[in-house]
Each structure stands twice: as C-alpha cells, then as structure tokens.
Amino acid sequence: MFKSVLVANRGEIACRVFRTARRMGLRTIAVYSEADANALHVREADEAVLIGPAAARESYLDAAKVLAAAKATGAEAIHPGYGFLSENADFAEAVAAAGIVWIGPKPSSIRAMGLKDAAKKLMIEAGVPVTPGYQGEDQSLETLSAEANRIGFPVLIKAVAGGGGKGMRKVDRAEDFAENLASAQREGQSSFGDPRVLIESYITRPRHIEVQVFGDSHGNVVHLHERDCSLQRRHQKVIEEAPAPGMDQATRDAVTAAAVRAARAVNYQGAGTIEFIADASDGLKADRIWFMEMNTRLQVEHPVTEAITGVDLVEWQLRVAAGEPIPLAQADIPMKGWAMEARLYAEDPANGFLPSIGRLDHFVMPDDIRVDTGVMQGGEVSQFYDPMIAKLIVHEDSREAAAARLADACREVEVWPVRTNAGFMARCLDHPRFVEGDVDTGFIAAEEASLLAAQPSPDARIAALNLVADNHHLAPQLGDYLSPWTPDADSAAVGFRLNGQARALFVAQINGDTVQGSVLSNRTGDFTWRIEADDRVAVSRVHGDKVVVNDGAPIGYAGRATGVEGVVFERGYAWPVTMTSHAGPSTGGAASDGGLRAPMPGKIVAAPAKAGDAVTKGQPVVVLEAMKMEHALTAPFDGVVAEFNVAVGDQVTDGAVLAVVKAAD
C-alpha cells in the first residue's frame, strides 16, 4: 500500500477521501485554487498546494499543475474524486507515466465509456439493452433534426461527454429543436470541451436506476446493488436512495447482471456506476430498463450504497489501486435496511432555484446523522464551483423510516445568508407520492407548485416579533423599560394609562410579509413574555439561540444579520426579518420595470434577442453562465427590448442591468 495520497479535487469529496485515508494511516495532500485558500479541505489535509486562480480551467482542471503538485509533495497516489479530471483518460495516463498510482479505472476503460455515443455502441455489442436514439458522427443541424423527427418528439439532447445534467435538453416540439441544440452544444463545450451531442427518445415516465460496480486487477467484477436517483430537478439529482422502491428480486437480478456485463466489457477496475433509465409507466420490469451511460468514477451518491452494504467504497478504491483484490465476493456483499441521501445545494428555490453565493455567516447541520460537507461556518460559497455544499445521509430499517428521518434532518438545517434547498427537500420527502414510492424524474416538475408553497408559520411570525423586540432592547429582562406609557410603531408615546397593561407596538417583515403585533409587559421573570399578533396571544421564550413559542418545538433564529434584523429558521427555511418593507428576491429583474438583472456574477454566453425585438412573456432575452450552468433571463411580460446593455463574452457583476423590456402598448 502506498503511504500518501493527493486528492485532485476540492470541497466535500476531498474531505470525504481524506477521512478514509487518515483512518488507513496515509498522508493526505490537498490542492487548492486562490478562491479556496481557506476552504475546509485545505485545512483538513496534512499538506496543501496552491495550483492557480479561482477559475477551474486554470486550477482544478489544469492537469499539469496538479501533477506538478503531486511530484513536489512526493505523493505516491492521486485520487481524482468526481468531476474535474476524474474521467480524463489523458490525465490518468500522465499520472501513471509519472510513476504515481492512479486511483481509478484504466485509461482505456475511461475512453470506452467516456463518450455516451461510443459507450452505447459498445453496450449493444455486449448484449446490454440501450435506449433508442441516434449516436452518429454527423453533427450537422440538418442530420440531428432529421434524426429527432425520426425518433419522435419529445426527445432528449445529451452532450456526449456530459454529466450532471450539463449539456442536456428536453425538446417537445420540432420548432424548438435548433435553439435547444445550440444551448446544449455551448454548455457541452464550456463544461467538457466537447460540443457533440446524441439524441435519445424521451421516456415519458422515466425512473433513474443505477448500479454500483467494482472491478480489480485480478479479473473480479462485483456489484453492490442498485440505487434510485429519480428525484431530480433539471436533470440534477436531489434525493437518492438504496435500494430502489418497487424493485422485485427478478428485476434486480437482471439489472445488476447487465451492469456487471457492461463493466466486464471494458475490463473495468475500481469504482464505477452503470446508469439505466426505466420506463416506470407499468412498474419496474427488466425488459423496460435500458443502459444510459457509465460513470467511470465514484458517484456523489455513493454513501447510500455504503450504508446498506457496510462497505467503505473509498477504502476499496485505495486497496484495489494498490493491487489488492476486491475484499468481498459477490455472495458476501449484504443489503441491509434502507438509505437515503439529500443533496444540500446553495440555491434559492423561491427565486427559480438560482445558485446562491456568499459567506456562510450561520451554518448548522443536524448532528445525529452522517453529513458529508466541504464547507463550514465562516466559509464562502463561490461563484466558480458547483453549488452543492453538503450531503445529508440516513440509514433506517425501512423506506418509510428513512424518508421521515431525512425529512427531519432537512428541517434541522440552518444556513444564512446563503439560501439552500433544505426546506424544499423536506417537503419533497413528506409528499404523499414520494412516501408511497410513486416517483419518476418528472416528480418535482409536476409537483413544484405545492413543493414551493411554504410560508412562515404563525409561530415563526411571533418569533419574528420576538427577535425585533430583542434587538430593540425590549427584552423582558430590562424590567422597567416596558412602562404604562404605550408607544406606537415609531416609539412615540401616545398616552398614559395608570391601570393599563404596558405594551410596545411593532411592525416587522418576515420573508417580505408584514406582521404587526404587541409585546406585552406581563411576564413571569424567566425570560418568558407575551406577544399579541395575528388575532392570537402567544407565550414566547428566549432559550439560548432559539425561540420557543407556546412550548412548541424550538424555532431557530439568529440575531442581527447582514442587511436584516435577523433570521428565523423553521423547517429548513430561513425567513429574514426586517423592520421595514422589504422587497422579495429578484428573479432577474422586476416585472414592474422590465429590467433583467444579473442574479449573480457570470459571463454572457448568448443573446437570443436584441434591442428593438418584440418578445413574449417567458421568451429568453439573454443567457448568463455562472457556477458551471446556463441561466436564461426571460421577458417578464409581452413587449419590446428597449435596451440591451451587454454582448456575448462580457463578464457581468451581480445586479447589473443586462437588458430592459418595455411593456407592449
């Protein structure tokens, strides 16, 4: 076994690999960009090397710099994590040529499975069923359009080198094909350096089923059962679980056997995942499940497989890379209980799920489950990298228990001022369809309206008044401050009542919604006070950093926070509290003025419209690339593009007015 390992990655996966490497007694080495100088993975490593500026192309994707860091630190092995260089066959070859152990599959296997079109052809030869579609060399618009018409709409455009939903577009109508093709090609070129695509038939009730496989240099290939990753938003996985709900043993045997055949077809070594798409319109059946692609690396969702098998997949990676055989035979790999994982993204569900960036002033995770993260309180979510900041993983005896526990864990998340999808995920996990196992990749899109309908509870509104009163020195422990003089909302005395109950009137905003109430002076002396609001009187008590209303569950809250009076945390949501009217978050320009504003710093990559063009509500006007994804800013109403202030290639700052749409007369 080698004695040191460099992780050619960042964030959560780097921290994850370091955890196992330390347990095995290995020296750990991190690489980092200028943006990550104070990142958690840098702090957790035994040694760290700066490899370049913030942009991934000049740091984490620069193979020469990573290799130079390995040589300079005497690293005996390199673990690529996932993303970045993890599926770069040229990098794998360069590592081996330098005499460093590559913790991953052979370059020939990466190449064989790295391009989706070539992989599908190989799987057909190996007898693995594949999704109907086109994976030819001719990439002209004419040919691709003709093939899409032959397959029949809806179709799915997929970047041949893609992954994580990047370079993927669903197209419902022939007239929308060219625009979506151009967007997928741009994203494929930007993310993977390859604009080529393939076309697949779009399965109308798809389930995403994948099988964890593992091979070694001794000719052994095993599977570690299946995972279901059907709960997705815009082709990005949100919640994963193992095993797959509704999978009977006969179907499981067929799918896992096909996965092992696929791995053997490329003489696979190390950890890999065979991804299948299933037509779930009539349940899971072996003859309605097709090969989609292979990921020749460790997957983000690998913890759920670890939970049901008891296997440390990173340890297996390290041992197999060192030449050891797979530790367990197929018959000895267990499948116990049910595991689920929720991906915590720095994004704002109420603002079109746009990524949220900035400093993590408040970052609290549940403490009684497995949490894999690469950030910490005081750290920063950067515009330059993927917005996933943590993974919440649970393992229970049954699927129902796992879903309930994971929902509770999501509700315990407290993050500010960066927004997250924690509350949204809790609502997904609580949804009756999900609880029943009635899921497919269209679940979130179909149920989005109800999943986004959360509002602060009556108790949260009381807590907001409590927070404001506390900030303005009206906490009950100040005793004599609350007097028979009754101030109005502007704290001006309006009257004197010798026998009246003292009160202070407040108007606050919680998540942009007004709440008005009175803080009453009668109290028991133990930090308990009464607040009257929303036609109810509630007893509110400050307990540590929480507010307890009517002896209910504690509602988390922060004191004064940047730009607001404070934040009430409830059920995974962060409700900002202010004393004055507060406009809600922009969706890229207020509909009232027609301004399309950059929701974050980024680069202009397309301009579907220009000054003077007539546009309809929802029509893309300008496309911004940020955090490795494209974000189309659309017309807020029917009208004319009155101003267009940017050009393709421009770098823009947060809040910049990119274009202005004038309403039609």
Side-chain angles (χ1 to χ4, degrees):
M1 173 64 70
F2 38 82
K3 301 298 183 183
S4 58
V5 58
L6 179 147
V7 177
N9 217 294
R10 65 178 300 278
E12 169 267 324
I13 184 55
C15 295
R16 163 69 189 94
V17 175
F18 290 156
R19 187 165 64 245
T20 291
R22 283 195 302 270
R23 179 173 57 77
M24 296 175 66
L26 305 181
R27 181 167 64 96
T28 57
I29 304 162
V31 292
Y32 66 96
S33 70
E34 291 173 353
D36 278 342
N38 297 311
L40 185 60
H41 78 280
V42 175
R43 299 186 181 202
E44 291 197 347
D46 294 321
E47 189 172 356
V49 179
L50 174 65
I51 56 172
R57 293 183 185 88
E58 301 176 61
S59 51
Y60 297 108
L61 284 171
D62 191 320
K65 289 180 179 177
V66 174
L67 200 55
K71 293 176 180 177
T73 57
E76 296 178 43
I78 290 180
H79 192 301
Y82 41 69
F84 294 134
L85 296 169
S86 63
E87 295 179 281
N88 186 312
D90 293 339
F91 179 60
E93 284 181 339
V95 170
I100 300 171
V101 175
W102 168 250
I103 304 173
K106 295 185 295 186
S108 59
S109 300
I110 297 175
R111 289 196 175 95
M113 289 297 198
L115 298 178
K116 291 178 171 62
D117 53 348
K120 289 183 71 173
K121 294 173 185 176
L122 183 61
M123 291 300 98
I124 292 171
E125 295 172 2
V128 178
V130 303
T131 314
Y134 170 77
Q135 51 271 345
E137 295 296 326
D138 189 342
Q139 293 285 298
S140 66
L141 173 60
E142 293 75 18
T143 296
L144 293 173
S145 296
E147 289 295 330
N149 283 303
R150 176 187 64 79
I151 295 166
F153 289 91
V155 299
L156 199 60
I157 303 172
K158 298 173 70 174
V160 300
K166 298 178 180 65
M168 185 181 298
R169 300 290 186 274
K170 178 195 172 192
V171 187
D172 294 304
R173 307 181 308 161
E175 50 265 45
D176 298 330
F177 184 80
E179 177 184 327
N180 280 276
L181 173 64
S183 179
Q185 289 171 328
R186 280 196 308 271
E187 205 164 83
Q189 178 64 47
S190 173
S191 298
F192 313 108
D194 190 338
R196 292 177 296 159
V197 300
L198 57 83
I199 312 294
E200 287 181 349
S201 175
Y202 183 82
I203 310 301
T204 55
R205 187 93 200 280
R207 288 268 298 275
H208 184 121
I209 308 294
E210 61 187 35
V211 177
Q212 178 72 61
V213 294
F214 225 102
D216 63 24
S217 58
H218 303 274
N220 302 308
V221 179
V222 299
H223 69 80
L224 291 93
H225 314 300
E226 85 281 359
R227 300 185 286 255
D228 189 301
C229 305
S230 298
L231 212 69
Q232 301 180 6
R233 187 188 58 74
R234 300 176 188 168
H235 308 296
Q236 282 277 13
K237 299 168 186 174
V238 176
I239 293 172
E240 302 105 343
E241 57 185 305
M247 175 83 77
D248 61 38
Q249 194 57 48
T251 304
R252 176 173 292 115
D253 290 344
V255 172
T256 54
V260 170
R261 286 201 306 274
R264 288 192 182 279
V266 293
N267 192 23
Y268 198 77
Q269 295 178 20
T273 300
I274 310 296
E275 300 197 351
F276 296 90
I277 190 168
D279 180 353
S281 56
D282 191 27
L284 292 178
K285 296 182 178 178
D287 62 352
R288 302 295 292 168
I289 301 178
W290 301 281
F291 170 87
M292 262 200 316
E293 62 188 18
M294 182 178 191
N295 287 301
T296 53
R297 52 172 169 79
L298 199 64
Q299 290 277 90
V300 175
E301 57 271 23
H302 75 272
V304 295
T305 294
E306 294 183 322
I308 65 167
T309 61
V311 168
D312 184 330
L313 290 173
V314 173
E315 179 178 346
W316 276 28
Q317 285 187 295
L318 299 175
R319 294 194 180 282
V320 165
E324 298 180 20
I326 294 171
L328 294 176
Q330 184 67 69
D332 297 326
I333 299 173
M335 184 173 73
K336 297 179 180 179
W338 213 286
M340 286 188 184
E341 171 183 292
R343 299 190 187 189
L344 186 67
Y345 285 108
E347 63 184 14
D348 188 356
N351 194 15
F353 291 94
L354 284 172
S356 181
I357 61 176
R359 179 182 165 86
L360 293 161
D361 292 337
H362 187 83
F363 185 77
V364 177
M365 295 292 106
D367 59 6
D368 57 349
I369 65 167
R370 175 175 171 179
V371 177
D372 287 7
T373 185
V375 299
M376 58 190 170
Q377 186 161 297
E380 188 165 339
V381 178
S382 168
Q383 63 170 301
F384 298 101
Y385 311 117
D386 189 273
M388 190 184 76
I389 55 176
K391 301 183 306 193
L392 313 181
I393 306 107
V394 300
H395 183 221
E396 300 290 344
D397 292 336
S398 68
R399 185 175 186 273
E400 293 77 11
R405 181 66 195 95
L406 188 55
D408 286 343
C410 290
R411 284 188 279 266
E412 293 169 18
V413 168
E414 297 181 6
V415 179
W416 184 263
V418 170
R419 299 303 190 108
T420 77
N421 62 336
F424 174 82
M425 291 191 297
R427 293 175 73 88
C428 288
L429 291 157
D430 283 336
H431 195 285
R433 276 188 59 193
F434 181 84
V435 173
E436 293 168 6
D438 179 19
V439 295
D440 55 54
T441 59
F443 171 86
I444 287 179
E447 306 293 341
E448 192 169 75
S450 64
L451 296 173
L452 290 173
Q455 293 294 331
S457 71
D459 282 0
R461 291 164 64 85
I462 293 290
L465 287 172
N466 191 330
L467 189 154
V468 168
D470 191 46
N471 281 350
H472 287 267
H473 311 299
L474 287 175
Q477 61 265 35
L478 295 181
D480 294 337
Y481 188 92
L482 287 177
S483 72
W485 284 99
T486 304
D488 64 11
D490 296 318
S491 298
V494 296
F496 181 78
R497 296 173 297 168
L498 284 174
N499 299 313
Q501 184 182 54
R503 65 178 64 211
L505 301 179
F506 283 92
V507 178
Q509 294 262 331
I510 179 167
N511 201 43
D513 186 31
T514 299
V515 54
Q516 179 171 327
S518 301
V519 178
L520 308 181
S521 64
N522 59 317
R523 59 186 177 88
T524 62
D526 61 352
F527 298 96
T528 300
W529 38 337
R530 298 175 69 216
I531 295 179
E532 182 179 5
D534 298 332
D535 297 322
R536 61 194 286 254
V537 176
V539 177
S540 182
R541 176 167 55 91
V542 180
H543 182 69
D545 62 350
K546 305 285 185 180
V547 175
V548 177
V549 180
N550 288 343
D551 293 324
I555 297 176
Y557 83 108
R560 289 184 183 272
T562 304
V564 296
E565 288 285 322
V567 184
V568 173
F569 297 105
E570 180 190 42
R571 307 189 312 272
Y573 292 93
W575 309 121
V577 177
T578 61
M579 278 285 282
T580 58
S581 298
H582 173 65
S586 170
T587 58
S592 60
D593 65 9
L596 303 183
R597 297 175 176 84
M600 69 194 75
K603 179 181 179 181
I604 304 301
V605 295
K610 62 181 184 297
D613 282 359
V615 291
T616 58
K617 181 179 179 180
Q619 179 178 334
V621 176
V622 60
V623 181
L624 177 76
E625 181 186 69
M627 299 186 82
K628 301 165 64 177
M629 296 289 283
E630 288 191 0
H631 309 278
L633 279 74
T634 61
F637 36 64
D638 295 349
V640 175
V641 180
E643 296 179 22
F644 203 91
N645 304 322
V646 291
V648 173
D650 285 356
Q651 293 284 345
V652 297
T653 58
D654 184 9
V657 178
L658 311 181
V660 176
V661 177
K662 181 179 179 182
D665 295 330

